[in-house]
Amino acid sequence: MKSSTIAAASFLALAALTGCTTAGPSGDGSSSSGSASQSDGPSRLETVADSGVLKVCTTGDYRPFTYLDPETGEYTGIDIDMVADLAERLEVEVEYVPTTWASLMPDFLRECDIGVGGISISLERAAQAFYTEPTLDEGKTPITLCENVEKYDTVEEINQPGVRSITPIGGTNEKFADEHYPEGEIIRYEDNNTIFDEIIAGRADVMTTDASETMWVANEHPELCAVHPEDPFNFSQKAYLLPQGDVEFREYVDQWLNMAKNDGTYDAAKAPWFG
């Protein structure tokens, strides 16, 4: 028996002794539908160890968290490094499952053990999956040409006729734009890897996205400036998706994440992107 399988079995035995149950979203012990949900079967902590593979859903289009290089086929990013560390500690291999923001939840429910890549916490997703403890606290804020920072530093200024607000399709950025910019022009753009080039080229005026992304993009593109990333429009958190109801797996991943935040692992993953 592999050491990772022994560790999984030991953890499950401890959970049983301490009275852990498999809870649904209401915490009442009921299971929920979807193949990524945990029913009466074994925890992913055990099945991942037995299979030797951790299936990871990620979009590959959201730097600094996840990026799929189209030429090399290699993934990079903060969350890519983190999930590699998780797999190493579980003594298994990573198998990436490509997804999009629009199809993230159905793909996760159908195929994956964990979802990573700058995923924001939302109640809609929380109704279908567990989240880990948050990896980042932030919020939505604009990014635009540096010369236009004062023109687009409030919701009211962006929510004006003729202001072209660009957003990727699917996910929380599009939802924020729909909710807050009904009077403006919303451009829905399919390629999140090239979306900021549209602002540089003058085909869009502004994009509202997570503060962490605006800071990274501003470092990469000197023409663009993050607009008050220290004081975003709202509050949001990022975390990793886990199968709903699988308490044992969530507790293991949360404990790993807590250790990684305090032993330098998470800081090392961020360093190439933020310094």
Side-chain angles (χ1 to χ4, degrees):
M1 181 181 292
K2 296 191 303 180
S3 60
S4 55
T5 306
I6 296 172
S10 299
F11 189 90
L12 291 168
L14 178 60
L17 289 172
T18 54
C20 288
T21 59
T22 301
S26 63
D28 61 1
S30 61
S31 61
S32 48
S33 61
S35 61
S37 300
Q38 181 70 13
S39 58
D40 294 330
S43 168
R44 293 297 175 92
L45 188 62
E46 182 177 345
T47 59
V48 167
D50 287 344
S51 69
V53 174
L54 180 69
K55 292 186 177 181
V56 180
C57 274
T58 194
T59 62
D61 67 350
Y62 187 18
R63 288 171 285 188
F65 302 101
T66 177
Y67 176 63
L68 175 61
D69 189 316
E71 295 185 0
T72 66
E74 297 294 323
Y75 284 92
T76 58
I78 295 170
D79 289 350
I80 299 303
D81 287 348
M82 288 297 292
V83 82
D85 183 78
L86 173 61
E88 182 179 353
R89 301 200 197 202
L90 286 168
E91 299 183 6
V92 299
E93 299 296 322
V94 173
E95 178 182 321
Y96 291 108
V97 177
T99 186
T100 66
W101 292 109
S103 63
L104 172 61
M105 288 311 301
D107 287 344
F108 172 75
L109 292 172
R110 183 176 59 253
E111 297 191 54
C112 294
D113 304 308
I114 188 170
V116 308
I119 299 172
S120 296
I121 295 176
S122 71
L123 293 178
E124 291 84 356
R125 290 169 180 160
Q128 304 173 72
F130 275 168
Y131 279 107
T132 62
E133 66 173 65
T135 58
L136 181 66
D137 295 347
E138 57 172 357
K140 302 295 184 187
T141 202
I143 185 165
T144 186
L145 292 173
C146 292
E147 62 200 60
N148 292 332
V149 165
E150 293 186 0
K151 290 177 62 176
Y152 304 124
D153 60 355
T154 68
V155 169
E156 291 74 21
E157 289 171 332
I158 299 173
N159 184 33
Q160 295 291 330
V163 176
R164 298 166 299 171
S165 184
I166 195 166
T167 181
I169 297 173
T172 57
N173 287 341
E174 184 179 30
K175 182 178 179 180
F176 186 94
D178 285 337
E179 181 178 349
H180 292 90
Y181 308 139
E183 302 302 320
E185 177 185 349
I186 298 177
I187 301 171
R188 303 174 201 276
Y189 195 73
E190 292 187 354
D191 186 1
N192 204 39
N193 287 316
T194 62
I195 195 168
F196 299 100
D197 295 335
E198 297 299 295
I199 301 175
I200 296 171
R203 292 186 288 267
D205 298 311
V206 63
M207 177 176 171
T208 303
T209 184
D210 296 318
S212 56
E213 185 176 30
T214 68
M215 290 186 289
W216 176 79
V217 171
N219 285 332
E220 293 292 308
H221 300 282
E223 309 97 320
L224 299 176
C225 283
V227 183
H228 52 65
E230 74 289 343
D231 186 23
F233 289 152
N234 65 358
F235 170 79
S236 66
Q237 294 177 308
K238 295 191 184 303
Y240 303 146
L241 290 171
L242 297 174
Q244 190 177 68
D246 194 336
V247 176
E248 291 87 356
F249 191 47
R250 182 180 65 177
E251 289 181 349
Y252 179 92
V253 176
D254 272 347
Q255 188 57 57
W256 158 77
L257 188 55
N258 179 58
M259 293 170 61
K261 288 179 177 178
N262 288 282
D263 67 7
T265 301
Y266 193 64
D267 287 341
K270 292 191 300 181
W273 303 89
F274 294 128

